[in-house]
Amino acid sequence: SHYCDSDSHIWFYISFTYQATLLLCASALAYQMRQVPNSVNDSKPLAVMIYSSFFFLALRFVMYVVSETVSDDSQSMKASLQKARSLFCSLDSIANILIFFSRFFVAKKDT
């Protein structure tokens, strides 16, 4: 089985650092946006997306660490862990889309 991989670890660290930085910036934005009028306030859905993305980022990090501890003889195990990381990436994207767009389809009560 073939999978996309690099012999250099720098690409994972760059990707991980970039995503973590974006999550920190989004957290600051959600915090600053909490006092905005409700008609334009997206701080709660943004906070839920941040939590969700952080959860999947942590899962991908764990999969990366585990895949680095697996011996080179076990290529099938490495391929399975790579598939799991790819799946977590896809699930992260799907979860964020569902979190963001679900509020447009859920009926809001007029208060």
Side-chain angles (χ1 to χ4, degrees), residues 6 10 16 20-21 27 40 44 46 50-51 64 76 79 97 105:
S6 174
I10 192 71
F16 184 82
T21 302
S27 298
V40 293
K44 288 180 185 176
L46 181 59
I50 293 166
Y51 295 141
Y64 179 77
S76 64
I97 289 169
F105 299 109

Side-chain angles (χ1 to χ4, degrees), residues 15-16 19-20 22-23 46-61 84-100:
S15 171
F16 184 82
Q19 291 172 355
L22 288 178
L23 287 176
L46 181 59
V48 173
M49 289 191 317
I50 293 166
Y51 295 141
S52 171
S53 292
F54 178 77
F55 174 73
F56 284 110
L57 186 64
L59 284 175
R60 289 197 314 264
F61 181 75
R85 282 178 41 206
S86 178
L87 178 66
F88 290 146
C89 237
S90 298
L91 289 175
D92 182 20
S93 298
I94 291 169
N96 282 329
I97 289 169
L98 291 175
I99 291 166
F100 184 76

